[in-house]
Amino acid sequence: MQLNMIKLIMPALLLISGNLMAAGDAEKGQALSATCAACHGMDGNSINPIWPSLAGQHEVYLDRQIKLFRDGERENALMTPMVAGLSDQDAADLAAYFSAQKLKMQAANPEQVELGKKIYQGGDQQRNIPACMACHGPTGKGNPLSGYPVVANQHAAYTAIQLRAYKAGFTVKNKDDVNGQVMADVARYMTEEEIDAVSSYIQGLKAAQ
């Protein structure tokens, strides 16, 4: 049922991802990134695992998320004031810079790999949990055309925080945020143990660089 829903919304996701965005200038983005470094690192690899690494993320995804925070359609007490004054061009430049950086490799907790792999690759059909790789791919590379982000090598702590937020009912306030609704529908059926395990497994995935 969940997989069928994902297939039905794919055209809408393609439309969302196809929204016009300014061509980003990575060099200008690097200059702007100084204010992002405290949380996300100068090269987009965050040191604190509760903050996401941005290096190697899809450019169109980063551009959209920056604008959602800026426009108040995605809420975060730290992010909102940081991006409040950015123009569309600034968002595009930052997205171009961080997407061009190389994501540092991490590892999964060996004790959580079995369960994490089971959920990521196969889900649980009886509980309406689709396989994570149905959207994010077998290596966690995502799909920029459909708006699915790179998840491979993301900090397990950050991923777990996001999954718990979705489980609690978080969605972006923008009515066109189909991805957020899909994630909320998926995460609400996951146990705490499954959230931790799949987050750790994702941290150890090696997407093509």
Side-chain angles (χ1 to χ4, degrees), residues 98-113:
F98 283 119
S99 68
Q101 305 311 300
K102 188 173 182 179
L103 185 62
K104 292 180 179 177
M105 299 294 99
Q106 300 190 74
N109 180 343
E111 297 179 359
Q112 296 176 305
V113 167

Side-chain angles (χ1 to χ4, degrees), residues 135-159:
C135 294
H136 297 290
T139 63
K141 192 176 182 179
N143 186 332
L145 293 179
S146 299
Y148 299 132
V150 175
V151 294
N153 260 230
Q154 187 57 263
H155 294 299
Y158 173 75
T159 300

Side-chain angles (χ1 to χ4, degrees), residues 4-196:
N4 288 336
M5 180 181 70
I6 291 172
K7 291 177 181 179
L8 287 173
I9 65 173
M10 190 64 72
L13 293 175
L14 290 170
L15 180 61
I16 290 171
S17 300
N19 287 344
L20 292 176
M21 61 173 281
D25 184 321
E27 186 174 346
K28 292 180 179 178
Q30 182 175 16
L32 289 169
S33 72
T35 57
C36 311
C39 294
H40 300 292
M42 284 301 298
D43 62 351
N45 286 281
S46 66
I47 297 175
N48 190 328
I50 67 170
W51 293 323
S53 289
L54 307 180
Q57 186 57 263
H58 300 307
E59 186 172 349
V60 67
Y61 179 83
L62 289 173
D63 179 79
R64 176 168 169 74
Q65 297 309 306
I66 292 170
K67 291 173 182 174
L68 287 174
F69 282 121
R70 181 196 64 188
D71 299 340
E73 294 171 349
R74 182 174 177 183
E75 296 178 345
N76 183 282
L78 292 175
M79 276 296 298
T80 300
M82 296 299 292
V83 299
L86 296 180
S87 66
D88 284 357
Q89 185 62 59
D90 291 336
D93 293 344
L94 281 168
Y97 171 68
F98 283 119
S99 68
Q101 305 311 300
K102 188 173 182 179
L103 185 62
K104 292 180 179 177
M105 299 294 99
Q106 300 190 74
N109 180 343
E111 297 179 359
Q112 296 176 305
V113 167
E114 183 177 356
L115 177 58
K117 182 178 181 179
K118 176 184 176 183
I119 296 298
Y120 189 88
Q121 294 188 354
D124 188 327
Q125 188 173 3
Q126 291 185 340
R127 290 186 294 138
N128 290 321
I129 302 175
C132 305
M133 72 176 189
C135 294
H136 297 290
T139 63
K141 192 176 182 179
N143 186 332
L145 293 179
S146 299
Y148 299 132
V150 175
V151 294
N153 260 230
Q154 187 57 263
H155 294 299
Y158 173 75
T159 300
I161 288 171
Q162 296 307 302
L163 285 172
R164 288 189 169 95
Y166 282 122
K167 183 179 176 69
F170 162 80
T171 58
V172 173
K173 291 188 290 185
N174 188 303
K175 65 180 180 180
D176 293 326
D177 179 50
V178 187
N179 285 5
Q181 187 57 58
V182 170
M183 284 303 304
D185 288 341
V186 171
R188 66 176 174 171
Y189 297 112
M190 296 177 68
T191 67
E192 295 297 307
E193 182 183 15
E194 287 169 341
I195 286 175
D196 288 335

